[in-house]
Amino acid sequence: YLYLRPDKQYAASFMSDIDIHIKELEFLKNIILKHGTRTEIKKNSFFIQRGHFCHEIAYIVRGSFKFLRHDAKGAEHIMAFAFEKEIISSYLPSRKGCDALLDVKALEDSVVIQAPLETLRSFLQISVDGEIYVRAFVESLAFDFLKKIISLHCDTPEERYLQLQKRVPDILNRVNLKEIASYLRITPETLSRIRTRILYESRKNLD
């Protein structure tokens, strides 16, 4: 699964760790914008459904999405969020010819530019200036997955919450606490205590 953000500001946080080839991501975004179709996706509607073959890739113009899966008891587990200026898809399963492993669902009324993966593949395999543009697509997915594993095992829930808030400052106006808690793998009550502690520390520093 993939969500990429093809701009320098987003990349700056980890440019020293890996070259994500910004020009390649811009190339990918431009292909989607040129060959894609503007689509409105209503809140709680699916962009990708688990168990279905994924045919599309999309650039988010407005709105947000969650990547999720339900366990055997029906509880929802959120794996990731995606917001404006990010690219979403289920790239690897579709390349391997298997069905999607997660649902991708709109958190709010959203607008995307979506294009068939088959259309993009012919462009992504083109060598430009000696570069194969598909590489950035896969490298960024692998690196993002690695960052999530490291963060999950090494960062505290509070640190992960602050990272998410830094990425999306208005997230509390767009995503409910239960969904944020699911993503952080904590209870909503624990998240409330974290928010209260952060607010207290912030006020104390102002005094």
Side-chain angles (χ1 to χ4, degrees), residues 130-160:
E131 303 279 359
I132 302 298
Y133 283 89
V134 71
R135 185 179 69 248
F137 197 68
V138 178
E139 281 182 355
S140 296
L141 172 63
F143 186 60
D144 184 72
F145 181 68
L146 177 61
K147 287 198 302 176
K148 281 185 170 59
I149 291 177
I150 293 172
S151 178
L152 181 62
H153 287 278
C154 299
D155 296 337
T156 66
E158 182 171 328
E159 288 171 331
R160 298 202 307 275

Side-chain angles (χ1 to χ4, degrees), residues 46-150:
F46 290 98
F47 175 67
I48 299 170
Q49 280 188 275
R50 179 190 172 200
H52 292 249
F53 190 80
C54 176
H55 297 276
E56 303 288 323
I57 183 171
Y59 176 80
I60 304 173
V61 177
R62 185 180 73 248
S64 57
F65 293 81
K66 58 182 176 180
F67 295 67
L68 68 120
R69 183 159 178 167
H70 293 86
D71 62 24
K73 296 181 179 180
E76 179 181 283
H77 298 274
I78 297 176
M79 310 298 180
F81 296 118
F83 297 88
E84 289 88 354
K85 298 182 180 180
E86 294 179 349
I87 297 169
I88 56 173
S89 185
S90 177
Y91 182 68
L92 294 179
S94 67
R95 280 184 62 84
K96 293 180 178 294
C98 63
D99 295 332
L101 302 176
L102 299 174
D103 293 319
V104 179
K105 201 172 186 179
L107 283 162
E108 55 192 327
D109 290 347
S110 302
V111 176
V112 303
I113 305 296
Q114 67 180 68
L117 276 168
E118 287 299 328
T119 299
L120 268 68
R121 283 192 189 124
S122 61
F123 291 96
L124 289 173
Q125 299 295 346
I126 294 174
S127 178
V128 180
D129 298 328
E131 303 279 359
I132 302 298
Y133 283 89
V134 71
R135 185 179 69 248
F137 197 68
V138 178
E139 281 182 355
S140 296
L141 172 63
F143 186 60
D144 184 72
F145 181 68
L146 177 61
K147 287 198 302 176
K148 281 185 170 59
I149 291 177
I150 293 172

Side-chain angles (χ1 to χ4, degrees), residues 31-38 113-116 120:
I31 293 174
I32 296 172
L33 295 178
K34 181 177 180 180
H35 299 276
T37 303
R38 184 182 178 91
I113 305 296
Q114 67 180 68
L120 268 68

Side-chain angles (χ1 to χ4, degrees), residues 3 80-83 151 157-172 175-176 179-181 183-184 191:
Y3 63 90
F81 296 118
F83 297 88
S151 178
E158 182 171 328
E159 288 171 331
R160 298 202 307 275
Y161 172 71
L162 290 172
Q163 290 165 8
L164 181 62
Q165 194 174 51
K166 182 178 180 180
R167 176 185 164 204
V168 189
D170 64 342
I171 191 167
L172 292 174
V175 182
N176 65 52
E179 290 171 321
I180 295 174
Y183 171 73
L184 297 174
L191 178 56

Side-chain angles (χ1 to χ4, degrees), residues 2-24:
L2 179 71
Y3 63 90
L4 301 175
R5 186 164 183 170
D7 64 64
K8 295 182 180 180
Q9 182 178 0
Y10 181 74
S13 62
F14 53 88
M15 278 293 281
S16 59
D17 298 310
I18 187 172
D19 178 4
I20 65 165
H21 309 289
I22 291 175
K23 65 176 182 178
E24 298 177 359

